[in-house]
Amino acid sequence: MARTTDAPYVLDAQVGFLMRKATQRHLSIFAAHIPDLTPTQFATLAKLYERGPTTQNALGRATAMDAATIKGVVDRLRARGLVASAPDPADCRRVSVRATAEGRRAFEGHARAAHAITRETLAPLTPAEQEMFLRLLARLG
Amino acid sequence: MARTTDAPYVLDAQVGFLMRKATQRHLSIFAAHIPDLTPTQFATLAKLYERGPTTQNALGRATAMDAATIKGVVDRLRARGLVASAPDPADCRRVSVRATAEGRRAFEGHARAAHAITRETLAPLTPAEQEMFLRLLARLG
DNA sequence: TGGTGATTGTTCGTATGCAAACGGATGTTG
DNA sequence: CAACATCCGTTTGCATACGAACAATCACCA
């Protein structure tokens, strides 16, 4: 006899499913505003712009990317000339990554669009709700 | 209010970045509870369990997956015997997908864990905050 | 009935994302 | 100084994701 107290599993009410759908909508908004860069690529440029030259793995940690993932992102950015990397003279294991002039221009040229993306993603909520949502969301990271 | 200067772009305060980190944490929790199925695979089984035989593309829409994505998921589930597909006699274009007995057992065996995953993902928030968060999140999908 | 537009599933290419295993370099400690 | 643990970057394998293009099929309507 099944336990009558078991709540049914409703997929559309699960956090994971709702987050996946919200992320999909956000990615769609992002692509509409910045078609030539992916969110992770832009995040990487933003962090380099903010911190200057950074070790590849540290860059991955700063952008919440796996070592294997940040490598692919840096590779693609380097192939497009937005980023350059050089071995760290102090530590042969390390690779120092920096944004090129073109990379910095790319970030600056998209900064306004980036703000618009955040605004548009949160647009269904009132300003008070937006602040509340971001506060709660940050605690789930 | 006239803005004379652009607000700085702080990556760690952007919705997209916070959602990515929250999703990463959720995926980690999911993998710890259900190591033998991915979230999309489990979602697919859940929908089939709830709706019975479903067209492949309709299944994709119900689980928020691209036609190309749901194909891969169904392929892998079928390779493991959790799902079976047959051509729809009424419409030769369609493929009807259904859960096998083993697939239904897999879903039932993980239903409790699935609830635990949602609980654990939301654990950093109070019950009132959890409800608020889900309500706001649903409006961003 | 015949054509046209929409739907269905497939394939390809690109880009995350993570686990695991690996070799090399560095630093620490006994 | 030698053994060891740790960190760094790389590679491979698997699994999402999506856009775009495509062929087959269906539905509708002139």
Side-chain angles (χ1 to χ4, degrees):
Chain A
M1 175 69 186
R3 294 175 27 131
T4 54
T5 56
D6 275 357
Y9 184 81
V10 182
L11 178 63
D12 306 76
Q14 309 302 312
V15 215
F17 186 68
L18 293 175
M19 285 202 300
R20 199 154 62 81
K21 289 211 296 180
T23 297
Q24 283 174 6
R25 173 168 164 277
H26 168 72
L27 293 180
S28 163
I29 291 170
F30 190 101
H33 281 82
I34 306 182
D36 57 332
L37 286 174
T38 65
T40 51
Q41 287 171 1
F42 185 76
T44 301
L45 285 181
K47 270 296 170 192
L48 286 178
Y49 193 87
E50 168 189 327
R51 299 169 42 141
T54 307
T55 282
Q56 183 171 293
N57 275 9
L59 186 56
R61 285 190 293 272
T63 52
M65 278 183 246
D66 197 67
T69 302
I70 189 65
K71 182 195 185 301
V73 174
V74 167
D75 282 352
R76 284 180 284 273
L77 286 175
R78 187 174 45 233
R80 290 174 53 184
L82 301 177
V83 142
S85 39
D88 186 333
D91 188 337
C92 292
R93 298 171 302 178
R94 295 185 173 175
V95 174
S96 180
V97 183
R98 64 180 179 79
T100 62
E102 194 186 345
R104 285 190 294 275
R105 273 199 303 274
F107 171 75
E108 289 163 353
H110 287 313
R112 278 182 172 286
H115 283 294
I117 289 166
T118 290
R119 257 199 317 277
E120 190 173 334
T121 297
L122 293 174
L125 307 181
T126 69
E129 287 171 335
Q130 295 183 10
E131 201 199 343
M132 164 82 78
F133 177 75
L134 289 180
R135 206 160 49 76
L136 298 178
L137 180 59
R139 285 165 56 194
L140 296 184
Chain B
M1 180 172 68
R3 302 182 358 165
T4 53
T5 55
D6 284 350
Y9 184 81
V10 181
L11 177 63
D12 305 76
Q14 309 302 312
V15 215
F17 186 69
L18 293 175
M19 285 203 300
R20 198 153 65 81
K21 288 211 297 179
T23 297
Q24 284 174 6
R25 175 168 163 276
H26 168 73
L27 293 181
S28 165
I29 293 171
F30 189 101
H33 281 82
I34 307 183
D36 57 331
L37 287 174
T38 66
T40 51
Q41 287 171 0
F42 184 77
T44 301
L45 285 181
K47 270 297 171 192
L48 286 178
Y49 193 88
E50 167 190 327
R51 299 170 41 141
T54 307
T55 282
Q56 183 171 297
N57 273 11
L59 187 57
R61 285 191 292 271
T63 52
M65 279 182 245
D66 197 68
T69 302
I70 189 65
K71 181 194 187 304
V73 175
V74 167
D75 283 351
R76 283 180 284 273
L77 287 175
R78 187 174 45 232
R80 290 175 52 182
L82 302 177
V83 142
S85 40
D88 186 332
D91 188 335
C92 293
R93 295 170 303 177
R94 294 183 174 180
V95 174
S96 180
V97 183
R98 64 179 180 80
T100 63
E102 194 185 346
R104 284 189 295 275
R105 274 198 305 274
F107 171 74
E108 289 163 354
H110 286 314
R112 277 182 172 285
H115 282 294
I117 289 165
T118 290
R119 257 198 318 277
E120 190 172 335
T121 298
L122 294 173
L125 307 182
T126 69
E129 288 171 336
Q130 295 183 10
E131 200 198 345
M132 163 81 78
F133 177 74
L134 289 179
R135 204 161 50 75
L136 298 178
L137 180 60
R139 284 165 57 195
L140 296 183

